[in-house]
Amino acid sequence: MKVLLLNGSPKARGNTAYALSQMAEVFAAEGVETEILQVGNQPIRGCIACGSCRKTGKCVFDDVVNQAAEAFREADGLVAASPVYYASANATLVAFLDRLFYSTGFDKRMKVGASVVVARRGGCSATFDELNKYFTISGMPVASSHYWNSVHGRAPGEAAQDLEGIATVRNLAKNMTFLMKVHRSRQGAIRPAGA
């Protein structure tokens, strides 16, 4: 099994990266392969609704979105992680997700999705909701933890001090693994109605 983890922060070694590293550690212990893709510091433009992807099967802008598409297709799960900016996800990550989900025509149903948000203080639940909508519109089950998947910290290293937030994302990785294993064990079985 494999999970693609998207770091939507412009800081490759910031608090969002730390939260993802905690998940990757749990996935490794569970025998799940991970790939962490740094998205937040990439020059990613938004979708221009040209429709080219419907003809060619890839986005007209040949950048990290097209590079990630194959990894997403092969993955059993996807984690989208972002710092919170004005109660919203990083705009670069949003542009990436818009284009990734729109330009990839493969069946995403039953891949497990999860979002992780990192903030100094507020805006987490709005950002959490924003990111989860990519999964729910695509028929992807959304993994949960024992609390909303948020970690608090602003200055470098502060996320490590949020013991509840780190426990939450570590539990999230365990729950994602369980859901992916259940799906893998039922492949070939009758899919849910409409799936």
Side-chain angles (χ1 to χ4, degrees):
M1 290 188 301
K2 183 175 181 179
V3 175
L4 178 62
L5 300 105
L6 306 174
N7 183 353
S9 173
K11 298 175 183 175
R13 291 188 173 90
N15 290 314
T16 304
Y18 181 77
L20 289 177
S21 75
Q22 293 297 299
M23 292 185 74
E25 187 177 287
V26 172
F27 285 130
E30 296 281 339
V32 176
E33 181 184 344
T34 59
E35 178 182 350
I36 298 177
L37 183 61
Q38 180 64 39
V39 173
N41 63 1
Q42 300 288 320
I44 300 169
R45 64 171 299 145
C47 178
I48 60 169
C50 67
S52 177
C53 58
R54 294 295 172 231
K55 298 172 189 162
T56 65
K58 64 179 188 172
C59 184
V60 69
F61 301 117
D62 196 19
D63 59 12
V64 68
V65 173
N66 286 340
Q67 296 166 19
E70 185 60 21
F72 182 28
R73 188 184 67 74
E74 293 177 358
D76 299 285
L78 178 72
V79 177
S82 179
V84 175
Y85 297 154
Y86 297 97
S88 183
N90 178 350
T92 302
L93 178 64
V94 171
F96 176 92
L97 291 171
D98 282 351
R99 289 178 44 218
L100 180 69
F101 275 79
Y102 192 75
S103 68
T104 51
F106 57 80
D107 189 358
K108 297 167 189 67
R109 293 173 296 173
M110 308 322 289
K111 288 181 182 288
V112 178
S115 64
V116 173
V117 298
V118 179
R120 179 190 69 83
R121 186 173 182 91
C124 290
S125 61
T127 306
F128 178 69
D129 179 55
E130 175 186 19
L131 294 175
N132 283 333
K133 288 178 177 166
Y134 289 94
F135 310 131
T136 58
I137 198 168
S138 301
M140 296 171 63
V142 179
S144 61
S145 186
H146 52 262
Y147 196 73
W148 293 304
N149 310 330
S150 58
V151 177
H152 292 271
R154 180 174 185 230
E158 281 185 352
Q161 297 170 25
D162 180 10
L163 301 182
E164 181 181 9
I166 295 306
T168 298
V169 295
R170 290 180 69 85
N171 188 61
L172 172 63
K174 289 178 185 175
N175 290 349
M176 278 189 78
T177 300
F178 174 80
L179 288 173
M180 291 184 299
K181 284 180 179 177
V182 167
H183 176 64
R184 276 280 176 108
S185 70
R186 296 185 54 106
Q187 283 184 342
I190 298 172
R191 294 179 88 162

